[in-house]
Amino acid sequence: MNGPVVVGVDGSTSALAAVEIAAREARLRGVGLQVVHAFIWPSLHVSLGPSPVGPADGGLRNAADKLLSEAVARARETEPGVEVTEHLVTGEPLTVLEARSREASLVVVGSRGMGGFIGLLVGSTAVHLAAHGRCPVLVVRGDAGATGSVVVAVDGSPQGDAAVGFAFAEASARGVDLVAVHAWNTWTERGDDDPGHPQNLVDGIDRMRSAEERLLAEALSGWQDRYPDVTVHRRLVENRIRQALIEATEQAQLIVVGARGRGGFTGLLLGSVSQALLHHGHCPVAVVRGDVS
C-alpha cells in the first residue's frame, strides 16, 4: 500500500519512541506520516478550555495541542524529509486508530501509554489493533534502537505468507539480514512420568525434521527471488514456540509475526504466541494480517 504511516500519540515517553520509529518507516516507504491523538473528552461533555482560576494555556484542549506539537516536532527532527501532519480526532483510541488503519500502510503504537491511550499495549487497544487493524501494526517495545537483523516467524500457512513478505520488504529497506525462524517440537507440556520434562510424542523425528526444513524453504523461496538483495538465515528451532521467538528478539531490531498461523505457530492470532511477544519481546513487534483485502 502507498498510504501514510499512522502513529498514535498520547504524550507518553513510549509514544514519542513510537513517533521516531514511525518517522523512519515513513521515510523508508516514501510516504507521509500522520501523527494522531484520539481526543475522547468532547464526547464526555466536559469543559475543554482553561479553568477560570488556572493559567490561560491550561485545559484539556491546550494539553492535547501541546502533546501533538511535541510529537510532530520529534518526527520532523528525526526525519526532516518526511511530510508530517497532525490530527486531533474526537473519539476513543481503539476506534480512531482502527479507522485510520483502513487507509494506512502501517500503524505504529507505543508499548505503554497514558492519557488518551491508557494501557495502550498489553491492554485492549494494541491487541485489538493487531487482531483487527486493516494494515500491519507495529508495536514499539524493548530496544527500539537496536541494530540487529529483522526476524520473521514462519509457519508455512497462506495467512503467514503476508508476514514473510512484509519482513522481506523491511529487511530490504533497512539494509539488514533477515532471520527466518520456524519452531517445531514433538513435545507435550506434561509428561506422565515427570511433569517437569517434556516427552517426545512421535517416532520418526528425522523425517519430521526434514519435513519442517522443506516447509521453511518453500515458505521463503518465492520471496527470496523478489528480494535478491536480502541475505536470509534459516533457523529451524526444536523448542517451545514462545520461548524460541522471545529468544530470537534478543538480537533483533524487529520481529514480524502473522496474525493467524498453523503448523508450528497454531493459534497465532493474538493467542499465547503473539501476546507473549507483545508482553516479553526485546524489540518492536509487527503483526501482519494475511486476510486483509
Side-chain angles (χ1 to χ4, degrees):
M1 293 181 62
N2 295 319
V5 171
V6 172
V7 59
V9 299
D10 64 355
S12 67
T13 300
S14 178
L16 288 177
V19 167
E20 294 181 0
I21 292 291
R24 295 189 184 104
E25 289 290 332
R27 173 180 59 81
L28 292 174
R29 287 169 167 74
V31 299
L33 174 64
Q34 293 184 1
V35 181
V36 178
H37 176 64
F39 195 48
I40 196 171
W41 300 111
S43 60
L44 299 180
H45 306 292
V46 300
S47 175
L48 305 180
S51 166
V53 297
D57 61 350
L60 294 172
R61 177 58 189 258
N62 283 332
D65 289 338
K66 287 178 182 177
L67 73 85
L68 261 177
S69 295
E70 181 182 7
V72 168
R74 179 69 64 90
R76 289 173 175 161
E77 178 183 356
T78 302
E79 295 292 344
V82 171
E83 180 183 356
V84 182
T85 57
E86 61 181 73
H87 302 265
L88 186 63
V89 184
T90 299
E92 55 90 25
L94 189 153
T95 302
V96 168
L97 291 180
E98 184 179 344
R100 292 276 165 165
S101 76
R102 296 179 179 275
E103 303 298 331
S105 60
L106 179 72
V107 171
V108 183
V109 292
S111 59
R112 293 177 179 86
M114 66 180 188
F117 292 93
I118 291 175
L120 182 57
L121 170 71
V122 191
S124 61
T125 302
V127 170
H128 181 94
L129 279 174
H132 302 289
R134 305 300 297 178
C135 70
V137 174
L138 198 165
V139 179
V140 178
R141 59 161 293 108
D143 185 0
T147 57
S149 302
V150 171
V151 174
V152 60
V154 179
D155 72 349
S157 70
Q159 296 87 352
D161 190 55
V164 175
F166 181 90
F168 266 94
E170 285 288 319
S172 178
R174 295 170 184 231
V176 300
D177 293 357
L178 177 64
V179 178
V181 179
H182 176 60
W184 67 286
N185 63 66
T186 61
W187 306 332
T188 176
E189 295 291 329
R190 297 181 179 181
D192 293 335
D193 299 326
D194 185 354
H197 293 83
Q199 306 291 308
N200 282 333
L201 295 181
V202 300
D203 294 324
I205 300 301
D206 289 342
R207 290 194 300 274
M208 185 174 182
R209 183 181 294 108
S210 295
E212 301 295 341
E213 289 175 346
R214 288 194 300 273
L215 181 151
L216 178 57
E218 291 169 359
L220 299 173
S221 59
W223 292 109
Q224 286 182 294
D225 293 338
R226 297 190 200 183
Y227 292 92
D229 60 309
V230 176
T231 299
V232 181
H233 304 275
R234 301 178 190 176
R235 187 177 298 172
L236 189 67
V237 183
E238 187 177 357
N239 199 348
R240 291 183 176 91
I241 298 161
R242 284 170 290 179
Q243 180 178 339
L245 293 181
I246 291 171
E247 289 178 356
T249 65
E250 293 177 358
Q251 304 299 322
Q253 63 175 270
L254 173 70
I255 186 166
V256 182
V257 294
R260 292 179 175 85
R262 62 176 174 80
F265 296 94
T266 299
L268 189 59
L269 172 60
L270 303 188
S272 62
V273 173
S274 51
Q275 289 208 41
L277 286 171
L278 292 178
H279 283 272
H280 304 295
H282 301 286
C283 70
V285 180
V287 180
V288 182
R289 287 181 57 193
D291 58 348
V292 176
S293 58

